[in-house]
Amino acid sequence: MDPHLLHEPHHDGSALHLDPETPAPGWPVTVRLRTWVGDPVEAVWLRTTYDAEPVYHRCAEVARDDAEESGGEGSVWWEGELPVHNPVTHYRFLLAGADGRQRWLTAAGVVEHDAPDAFDFRVSSHAPPPEWGREAVVYQVFPDRFARSAAADQRETPAWAVPAAWDDEVVFEGSDPRTPLQLFGGDLDGVVEHLDHVAALGVSVLYTTPVFPGESNHRYNASTFDGVDPLLGGDDAYQRLSEAVHERGLRLLGDLTTNHTGDTHEWFREALADPEGPGRGWYCFRADGSYECWMGHHTLPKLDHTDPGLRAAMTEGPESVVARWLRPPYDVDGWRIDVANMTGRLGATDVAHDVARTVRATAQAQRPDALVIGEHNHDASSDLDGDGWHGTMNYSGFSWPVWSWLRDEESPARAFGRPLPVPRRPGPLVARTMREWTARHGWRATTWSWNILGSHDSARIRTLVGSPEQHRVAAGLQFTLPGVPMLFAGDEIGLEGVNGEDARRPMPWDSPEVWDRTTMGTYAALARLRAEHPALVRGGLRWAHVDDDTLVYLREHPAGSVLVCARRAPGGAVGLPSAALALPALDGAPARPVGDPAPLLATEGEPAPLVVRDGWLEVPAGGAGVTVWRL
């Protein structure tokens, strides 16, 4: 049979391996490890740190399947108690072999050398994020380009804007001064009018980019946080949107820039007008009167979160910006924090963790189940330790590896944040990348972070992969790997864009003939599948087979496991030992072997059945696409 990865020792942060997943401080956690019965492991220790001092805890063998019917492919389960002494507890496994061989199992995989702690497993005793955040399917709307209500035609175009008709081409080159100024005039009542479309996709969270006024189409240069842009319909329109979203049982997530304001913001104008005034310290002014700003853009002056007045206005207490919009009549359910990675950081000053903790505490004081997601497009691991951001926009751990696996080398799509296009890489490197980033971010943060194929800041996935079929492969990965799928409005109908600004093309509501309805149906089917199977939300991740063009993985959960096969090109059948897929006999429950596996979904054609024969499960040969089965 084909080589597989099911002989590798395995542990992750899901319920099958960690009990409880969200421990209270000071309570031990039951930790389970799975090894292959043919792997001569004699003893297993948990190595953790107690106030930064390494300590070891012996694990016991609690279940073994070496019966003849397993064909030598059964599993051994080990169990140990992990003290949760520190708020975030790091741990790894030491495996001792009968031949004297020693190996470490870390969250990034097995190594035979003494690796740094950076890839250790981790468990957090901080309060868990709200469960609805992990269960979510998120839909991102860029208000200027989503939909126009009739009222939009009655509004005057402001002096700063370059007006555009809905079917005009988007200006998207950074060198063109019209790029941030081109105004198509979408508004919030337009969003309300199309919520049926959003709900039909299986979406549960509507996330809009900023709604505060700003002299740009993106509104990340806010001129106030005290009201909604009249061009969007003002405060009343935001209230109508909130009511319509919540009436459908959906959630509403806002977008707040805590790193900077616009240079026309009332706070900044006051700071400029009175160099001796209390508001001067709200910004990062230099001795010569100039000021720090975001990435050299003078229109985006940077906020100073070491100033008590700024903190009180922006992040702390019931009258702060963070808190006010979470109360009636707007009832926003949480925030996506723009440029979270830079907020509170400037040279030798770094209060980013304090800002994250404060935003979370303030939000949850208003709404106990509020969600806060921090924007971060590289290594967010140091910002995700459990008491600040609940998760991140997971570009590094999801977007870039998926892009690198599926990218059409002839695509005109431009890179996001690097000088060269993302290279096309084989499956083993993609799986390794995902493992390492899951290790760095931690299991909890990974499962609450957003799986993004594209956003208003990046090229569109359709342009990057070059075909509807490959787009649907990407969507299949987005909904079946750990994490929360986030669609950028228009992904579902195949909108294109070579970079972030070009990706902000208006939704073609009046041109339904250009919609890719097959892909739209696939998104809706994937959302239903995810809602119906706990393994796709709360299950672990165990890699079963990886080659250049094929990724096969298990999402394992006590309520039932799911097997996924993703192919970027046609490939042959893959054989897996069925005994290695069984759930264990633990806590008095009987072992649960693979029974009659059922096909659930295929992104291309009808899902072919799995065949179990002579102790082996055969994943059928197939073309490019994603297929999902229930085990």
Side-chain angles (χ1 to χ4, degrees):
M1 288 289 182
D2 294 319
H4 61 81
L5 303 176
L6 297 176
H7 287 169
E8 293 184 355
H10 180 73
H11 172 82
D12 57 49
S14 67
L16 191 60
H17 298 272
L18 203 66
D19 183 19
E21 293 178 87
T22 55
W27 288 86
V29 175
T30 299
V31 179
R32 298 186 181 110
L33 167 73
R34 181 178 198 156
T35 61
W36 173 45
V37 74
D39 188 344
V41 178
E42 260 192 349
V44 174
W45 284 268
L46 272 170
R47 196 219 74 173
T48 183
T49 53
Y50 187 97
D51 296 338
E53 179 68 19
V55 293
Y56 291 80
H57 303 275
R58 185 74 177 257
C59 295
E61 180 183 315
V62 293
R64 175 181 288 264
D65 176 17
D66 55 2
E68 185 176 334
E69 55 265 28
S70 77
E73 295 294 344
S75 299
V76 181
W77 285 82
W78 306 81
E79 193 171 281
E81 280 204 342
L82 176 69
V84 180
H85 173 66
N86 301 110
V88 178
T89 300
H90 296 249
Y91 63 100
R92 60 173 66 187
F93 296 90
L94 176 62
L95 283 63
D99 55 0
R101 182 185 182 199
Q102 295 184 20
R103 292 171 292 163
W104 294 107
L105 175 63
T106 72
V110 177
V111 295
E112 299 199 37
H113 63 281
D114 293 331
D117 292 3
F119 290 140
D120 277 4
F121 298 101
R122 69 183 72 174
V123 60
S124 173
S125 64
H126 293 295
E131 194 62 27
W132 66 263
R134 179 162 60 169
E135 296 170 346
V137 174
V138 181
Y139 192 81
Q140 180 191 16
V141 164
F142 190 86
D144 183 57
R145 311 291 164 85
F146 187 68
R148 283 174 65 101
S149 72
D153 295 335
Q154 310 305 315
R155 299 183 187 117
E156 290 187 14
T157 301
W160 58 262
V162 177
W166 200 251
D167 58 354
D168 283 354
E169 288 190 9
V170 170
V171 178
F172 62 86
E173 296 292 358
S175 59
D176 191 322
R178 296 173 298 168
T179 296
L181 306 178
Q182 190 180 30
L183 192 72
F184 285 81
D187 62 1
L188 297 177
D189 286 317
V191 180
V192 172
E193 291 169 4
H194 292 281
L195 283 178
D196 286 346
H197 169 86
V198 176
L201 292 170
V203 166
S204 60
V205 176
L206 180 76
Y207 150 52
T208 72
T209 55
V211 298
F212 303 114
E215 289 76 22
S216 67
N217 50 43
H218 54 73
R219 298 184 172 88
Y220 285 102
N221 55 339
S223 58
T224 184
F225 295 124
D226 286 342
V228 173
D229 194 337
L231 290 172
L232 294 176
D235 293 359
D236 290 343
Y238 201 42
Q239 181 178 346
R240 288 191 293 272
L241 175 63
S242 176
E243 290 172 351
V245 165
H246 290 119
E247 283 171 3
R248 285 171 169 79
L250 312 181
R251 302 274 185 163
L252 179 64
L253 208 64
D255 196 331
L256 180 63
T257 301
T258 53
N259 179 71
H260 55 263
T261 67
D263 62 345
T264 60
H265 197 285
E266 56 209 9
W267 297 348
F268 188 68
R269 287 182 169 179
E270 180 181 338
L272 282 178
D274 186 2
E276 304 302 320
R280 187 76 166 188
W282 293 19
Y283 291 87
C284 301
F285 281 93
R286 305 184 187 100
D288 63 359
S290 61
Y291 53 89
E292 296 286 347
C293 48
W294 181 76
M295 300 301 290
H297 295 277
H298 72 277
T299 58
L300 303 175
K302 186 175 178 69
L303 293 166
D304 186 348
H305 284 269
T306 66
D307 187 277
L310 183 276
R311 292 200 304 270
M314 176 63 88
T315 63
E316 291 181 352
E319 299 309 312
S320 66
V321 175
V322 167
R324 290 201 312 271
W325 294 93
L326 273 58
R327 296 196 295 268
Y330 310 106
D331 288 313
V332 175
D333 292 288
W335 295 106
R336 175 264 193 187
I337 302 296
D338 180 54
V339 202
N341 54 308
M342 296 184 73
T343 297
R345 290 182 170 127
L346 179 63
T349 299
D350 188 345
V351 294
H353 296 298
D354 184 55
V355 175
R357 287 190 292 266
T358 301
V359 170
R360 174 169 167 174
T362 298
Q364 292 185 328
Q366 295 301 314
R367 305 184 73 87
D369 65 346
L371 181 73
V372 287
I373 297 290
E375 183 196 18
H376 214 302
N377 69 4
H378 59 109
D379 189 343
S381 56
S382 63
D383 292 341
L384 295 175
D385 262 349
D387 59 348
W389 315 129
H390 290 130
T392 185
M393 302 177 77
N394 196 8
Y395 291 107
S396 295
F398 180 81
S399 310
W400 308 151
V402 171
W403 279 26
S404 68
W405 195 48
L406 298 176
R407 179 178 172 267
D408 175 5
E409 292 185 298
E410 302 301 317
S411 171
R414 302 178 191 175
F416 175 28
R418 68 175 74 194
L420 297 173
V422 172
R424 185 172 168 90
R425 293 189 171 116
L429 281 181
V430 170
R432 177 180 175 181
T433 302
M434 290 181 174
R435 272 185 167 179
E436 290 187 359
W437 282 107
T438 299
R440 290 294 291 141
H441 289 164
W443 183 259
R444 178 190 288 187
T446 296
T447 57
W448 264 273
S449 290
W450 290 356
N451 288 349
I452 299 172
L453 295 175
S455 72
H456 70 293
D457 284 327
S458 76
R460 287 274 186 179
I461 186 64
R462 175 61 67 87
T463 302
L464 185 105
V465 301
S467 76
E469 294 78 15
Q470 295 293 337
H471 180 172
R472 292 190 284 271
V473 173
L477 294 169
Q478 184 179 33
F479 279 78
T480 60
L481 283 165
V484 176
M486 190 212 85
L487 291 66
F488 181 29
D491 283 350
E492 71 275 16
I493 61 172
L495 283 193
E496 298 210 34
V498 302
N499 67 0
E501 285 75 14
D502 189 32
R504 305 171 190 177
R505 299 180 188 183
M507 282 286 285
W509 298 111
D510 294 332
S511 302
E513 70 279 0
V514 305
W515 290 22
D516 179 353
R517 294 190 179 273
T518 300
T519 297
M520 187 167 72
T522 298
Y523 272 103
L526 285 164
R528 287 194 299 271
L529 187 73
R530 191 171 184 274
E532 292 167 359
H533 293 275
L536 293 176
V537 176
R538 301 175 186 86
L541 174 64
R542 189 174 169 213
W543 295 97
H545 169 90
V546 175
D547 62 40
D548 285 1
D549 299 323
T550 306
L551 304 174
V552 182
Y553 49 92
L554 283 153
R555 299 298 309 278
E556 295 179 308
H557 190 270
S561 298
V562 167
L563 181 69
V564 182
C565 176
R567 301 184 190 273
R568 69 178 182 182
V574 174
L576 303 173
S578 57
L581 305 173
L583 292 180
L586 295 171
D587 300 329
R592 296 169 58 187
V594 175
D596 184 16
L600 296 174
L601 177 145
T603 61
E604 306 301 320
E606 293 297 319
L610 297 173
V611 177
V612 180
R613 184 186 299 113
D614 298 329
W616 285 80
L617 181 150
E618 184 178 286
V619 178
V626 173
T627 308
V628 185
W629 298 268
R630 183 181 69 243
L631 295 184

